[in-house]
Amino acid sequence: MSALLAGTWWMTHRRLSALARKPAVLVLTLVQPMIWLFLFGQLFRKVVELPGFGTGSYLDYLVPGVVVMNAVSLNSFAGMATIDEIERGTLNRFLVSPVRRSAIMNAGVVEQAVSTAFQSLVIIALGWAAGARYPGGAAGVAVLVAMSVLVGIVLAALSNTLALLVRDRNTIIGLNIMLLLPLTFLSSAFMAKDLMPGWMRDVAAGNPVSWALDAGRAALAADPDWGSAAAHAAPLLALTAVTVGLAVFSLRSYQKSQ
């Protein structure tokens, strides 16, 4: 265990140091969620007048949607960095070193978690500046950020798994483009589930993006529903563990193929 922790620490330090040298990446990738926040917030602000929408402010409803959608978008292309390391030979050098294979994947998880949490907090702050309010307070905001981190890790782990198995940029790009919009729009990111067609509600019920949103919104309510938050967070946490395990297995399979 100590070897795993030490390896995770040093591999994470390496990744975060590289990230700190390129802070513009984190800032520039915030441009798109800012557009979603302010454009969609104005375009659909009257949708709350529909009977059954369930909230008086569309911006309050939208901020969690943008937070989680940004996490999906940010992490879906994590496999591109893995392909870069394969092509440079960096990954192969780590695989012949004493560092544990789990530590290599853990470092990627921590890096993605830090990036996602930072951007989520910025979006939440921008939403507040635009007029959104979070009655659930700091605890509700913390739950929303945690849910964005979990769904981000799921997508990052799947992207890394794909990179290790197919080792092709075009496949990753094509699959992510194909999945990004369905994952977002077949969820409760922008529309209350009660107003969706029946088949969309069924899809949203099994969509991890909706799990993250439902948990976050339950915690952000004026009277937080912690039971609902836990019920939606539990399957997302389980899925996170499964996908990270799959990424570690794929790394070992990659090593055997070399």
Side-chain angles (χ1 to χ4, degrees), residues 38-156:
F38 296 111
L39 180 61
F40 288 4
Q42 290 298 308
L43 184 61
F44 299 118
R45 68 183 187 277
K46 290 189 178 295
V47 96
V48 295
E49 297 175 8
L50 292 173
F53 193 87
T55 183
S57 167
Y58 187 66
L59 190 60
D60 289 0
Y61 184 86
L62 178 64
V63 169
V66 173
V67 166
V68 174
M69 185 175 182
N70 179 67
V72 172
S73 177
L74 177 68
N75 291 281
S76 294
F77 292 93
M80 302 296 279
T82 300
I83 289 182
D84 286 340
E85 295 208 329
I86 291 173
E87 292 177 346
R88 289 197 302 264
T90 309
L91 183 59
N92 287 349
R93 288 196 291 272
F94 283 130
L95 289 175
V96 297
S97 73
V99 69
R100 299 279 291 274
R101 306 301 164 256
S102 299
I104 297 174
M105 280 297 135
N106 289 346
V109 168
V110 175
E111 180 197 10
Q112 296 303 128
V114 169
S115 301
T116 303
F118 169 77
Q119 291 202 346
S120 296
L121 288 169
V122 171
I123 294 168
I124 290 167
L126 288 172
W128 183 86
R133 293 297 175 260
Y134 315 115
V141 169
V143 170
L144 175 61
V145 172
M147 293 303 102
S148 71
V149 167
L150 287 180
V151 79
I153 290 173
V154 168
L155 270 298

Side-chain angles (χ1 to χ4, degrees), residues 33 38 54 57 70 98 116 122 127 134 145 166 170 172 176 203 210 217 225 240 251:
F38 296 111
S57 167
N70 179 67
T116 303
V122 171
Y134 315 115
V145 172
V166 303
N170 292 330
I172 295 175
N176 286 334
V203 173
S210 281
R217 288 189 177 121
D225 187 345
T240 303
L251 180 60

Side-chain angles (χ1 to χ4, degrees), residues 142-211:
V143 170
L144 175 61
V145 172
M147 293 303 102
S148 71
V149 167
L150 287 180
V151 79
I153 290 173
V154 168
L155 270 298
L158 290 175
S159 183
N160 282 322
T161 297
L162 188 63
L164 290 165
L165 294 178
V166 303
R167 306 170 205 174
D168 180 68
R169 296 177 188 274
N170 292 330
T171 301
I172 295 175
I173 293 171
L175 188 61
N176 286 334
I177 290 174
M178 182 178 70
L179 291 178
L180 180 59
L181 290 182
L183 276 173
T184 304
F185 288 102
L186 293 176
S187 74
S188 56
F190 302 114
M191 182 58 64
K193 283 191 285 188
D194 288 344
L195 299 179
M196 293 179 181
W199 69 271
M200 281 190 178
R201 285 198 300 271
D202 294 338
V203 173
N207 186 344
V209 173
S210 281
W211 300 344

